[in-house]
Amino acid sequence: MWSQIGQGFMNGFQFFINCGATVMLPVIITIVGLIFGLKITQAFKSGLTLGIGFAGIKLVLDFMTTNVGPAAKAMVERTHVHLNALDVGWGSIAAVTWASPIIAILIFVILLINIVLLVLKLTHTLDVDIWNYHHMAIVGIMVYFVTHNVFLGVGATTVTAIFTFKLSDWSQPIVEKFFGMPGVSLPTISALSSLVIAVPMNWVLDKIPFFKNSKFTIKDAQKYLGFFGDSMIMGLIIGLAIGGLAGYDLQKVLQLGVSMSAVLVLIPKMTAMFMEGLMPISSAAQKWSQNKFKGRKLFIGLDAAVVVGNPDVITTALIIIPLTIAMAIFLPGNRVLPFADLAVVPFRVALVVALTNGNLLKNIVIGLVVTASLLWCGSATAPVLTAIAKSVGIKLTTGGSMLISSFAATSMIQSFIVYFAFTYHPEICVPILLLVIAGIWYYYDKIKKINVSIDENKN
């Protein structure tokens, strides 16, 4: 009897998988919402909204790859610049993540890790930003896809989550000081991962008086920006440039320009449906967590979107965006054609700006190194990401061997390091990674804390 029940369960589970992500996603999110105490109507509406958002992402992605894929291929052939991995944007990658058959397991693993760390007082960050769990989950999904080992996949997401929550704790003081947000941390990997590069680079640049004492200000930079910083205009310019380099006639160049402008407007709108669907669940998760951890010092973990509107952040991003496009062409080993995720460069530089206390010259130098790492890591993992997208039902009608990539997923240095450790001789690399994380943990929780206490006593 039990075997028949088990088989019936597996058949039902397989039925939903075969229905595809647009059906499976609403079911998963409805269940998650019910667990956190939402009414069945609220939970189902949230799930259905996410399903609609995923369907919209698929349509926009197909439209984009249909238009820019052949143009990018022609550009490569004419210019001999081998950029065959199209940046389709973090929203598309998030859709791929939430459509994975193991996403439900990984979401509960991340939530459980946060709760356990809070209970053990190993973190002060209460991450209520359920939406951005996808940044941690995609690492495990990619590891699982490569290794076909669910334990390695869960392990990769576990390590990513633990390091993310600790980075949130360690970076909370600069968030509070620079952005004026007491009691808030930012456990968003798309912002946090930059600190893995920015912290050592900032230490080095502080030893060089030219960078440390730079007087180049935001007002100096803003004189040259404004109209061209709009994502709509950015998409138009990029589309026109690709069409021109592809050798298209004027009519097709103009059509591609408007099409790419439309994509940069539509992708955020479709992505917004994901966030709209998850907002009720995020609020319910926040209430549930606060009830369980009364009387504790907590940092509320929010989406880094709350700080990217800062003038220093926007100015730095608008300077880095065109430099990133130029760098993509000449950077050795790069295969990524930057496009959709140029709009989220502010997320990648937000905590860099806070770390340097707004030193614009240091922001630009560190920001370019960060975006170079995004291009390299994105190039390395584009084949896997493309295969996963196809496996969840996204048809990439690029008319050739075009791959997809993004400035999200394992393009981010923190996520890439974990992905690499769990897929390349994990029996050796994973222990080394854990030792490095343990060393960083000890330094920031023990040594640096002691040094801060000594400095405060002197004052």
Side-chain angles (χ1 to χ4, degrees):
M1 183 183 72
W2 290 111
S3 61
Q4 290 177 334
I5 293 174
Q7 186 61 45
F9 175 80
M10 290 304 297
N11 289 340
F13 184 69
Q14 190 62 47
F15 170 79
F16 282 111
I17 292 177
N18 293 338
C19 286
T22 50
V23 173
M24 188 173 69
L25 190 56
V27 173
I28 292 174
I29 297 303
T30 300
I31 294 171
V32 172
L34 291 173
I35 290 173
F36 282 126
L38 286 178
K39 295 180 180 178
I40 181 65
T41 51
Q42 291 176 305
F44 178 73
K45 188 175 180 181
S46 291
L48 187 59
T49 302
L50 261 75
I52 294 170
F54 179 75
I57 287 285
K58 286 178 65 177
L59 290 172
V60 176
L61 183 55
D62 182 63
F63 173 74
M64 177 168 63
T65 54
T66 300
N67 282 275
V68 81
K73 184 182 178 184
M75 181 188 72
V76 168
E77 291 172 351
R78 291 186 76 247
T79 63
H80 304 290
V81 175
H82 193 58
L83 302 180
N84 68 332
L86 176 63
D87 162 26
V88 297
W90 69 272
S92 302
I93 305 307
V96 170
T97 305
W98 285 98
S100 169
I102 66 168
I103 185 64
I105 298 172
L106 297 180
I107 293 302
F108 283 116
V109 165
I110 295 166
L111 180 62
L112 180 63
I113 290 167
N114 195 191
I115 293 171
V116 169
L117 291 178
L118 284 167
V119 169
L120 298 177
K121 298 184 178 180
L122 295 176
T123 185
H124 297 299
T125 292
L126 171 60
D127 189 359
V128 299
D129 184 20
I130 303 292
W131 162 247
N132 278 309
Y133 278 19
H134 73 86
H135 285 306
M136 294 178 260
I138 187 61
V139 183
I141 289 167
M142 292 184 69
V143 168
Y144 170 69
F145 189 85
V146 171
T147 64
H148 306 290
N149 187 317
V150 69
F151 295 106
L152 285 177
V154 171
T157 290
T158 298
V159 172
T160 303
I162 291 172
F163 194 43
T164 297
F165 296 138
K166 290 308 297 179
L167 273 176
S168 300
D169 287 348
W170 298 329
S171 60
Q172 193 277 334
I174 65 172
V175 171
E176 180 169 338
K177 179 183 177 183
F178 188 81
F179 296 114
M181 302 184 72
V184 170
S185 64
L186 305 176
T188 312
I189 295 183
S190 58
L192 278 177
S193 62
S194 300
L195 292 178
V196 176
I197 292 173
V199 170
M201 275 200 69
N202 186 58
W203 182 84
V204 171
L205 293 177
D206 268 342
K207 307 301 179 185
I208 305 172
F210 174 73
F211 287 101
K212 185 176 182 180
N213 303 321
S214 169
K215 301 299 181 183
F216 186 51
T217 66
I218 300 174
K219 291 181 179 179
D220 295 327
Q222 286 177 336
K223 295 175 185 176
Y224 307 101
L225 301 172
F227 175 76
F228 295 101
D230 190 294
S231 60
M232 185 187 302
I233 304 303
M234 197 185 307
L236 176 65
I237 292 171
I238 294 171
L240 294 175
I242 293 173
L245 291 172
Y248 283 3
D249 59 36
L250 181 59
Q251 185 180 44
K252 292 185 71 176
V253 168
L254 293 173
Q255 287 173 345
L256 184 62
V258 175
S259 295
M260 294 305 94
S261 181
V263 167
L264 285 196
V265 172
L266 291 174
I267 280 185
K269 292 184 182 299
M270 292 300 100
T271 303
M273 293 202 69
F274 273 86
M275 300 183 74
E276 180 186 340
L278 280 172
M279 279 180 63
I281 294 176
S282 182
S283 298
Q286 182 175 357
K287 292 178 182 177
W288 181 87
S289 301
Q290 288 176 333
N291 287 335
K292 300 295 181 182
F293 298 101
K294 291 180 179 177
R296 276 282 307 279
K297 174 189 175 184
L298 290 179
F299 302 141
I300 302 300
L302 300 179
D303 189 329
V306 297
V307 300
V308 296
N310 179 275
D312 294 72
V313 174
I314 294 297
T315 302
T316 300
L318 291 178
I319 294 171
I320 287 175
I321 286 169
L323 296 176
T324 297
I325 297 171
M327 181 170 60
I329 297 172
F330 302 104
L331 188 67
N334 175 51
R335 302 169 65 186
V336 176
L337 177 62
F339 178 62
D341 265 345
L342 291 172
V344 296
V345 168
F347 283 82
R348 307 304 182 263
V349 300
L351 289 180
V352 174
V353 171
L355 178 69
T356 67
N357 199 31
N359 184 314
L360 191 54
L361 193 56
K362 286 202 294 183
N363 293 343
I364 294 169
V365 173
I366 297 173
L368 285 175
V369 175
V370 168
T371 52
S373 74
L374 292 169
L375 294 173
W376 274 323
C377 296
S379 297
T381 56
V384 175
L385 200 55
T386 304
I388 294 176
K390 290 179 179 178
S391 74
V392 298
I394 293 180
K395 296 178 181 179
L396 305 172
T397 53
T398 55
S401 58
M402 201 73 182
L403 304 173
I404 66 167
S405 188
S406 167
F407 283 4
T410 46
S411 296
M412 299 181 292
I413 189 66
Q414 174 190 337
S415 302
F416 178 80
I417 290 171
V418 176
Y419 166 80
F420 180 83
F422 276 83
T423 55
Y424 183 79
H425 296 295
E427 71 281 2
I428 298 173
C429 294
V430 171
I432 293 174
L433 175 64
L434 294 178
L435 285 173
V436 171
I437 292 175
I440 296 172
W441 193 323
Y442 179 80
Y443 173 77
Y444 276 96
D445 272 13
K446 300 294 182 183
I447 297 176
K448 192 165 184 180
K449 188 175 181 179
I450 292 172
N451 290 338
V452 170
S453 299
I454 292 172
D455 291 339
E456 288 177 349
N457 290 334
K458 286 181 180 179
N459 295 332

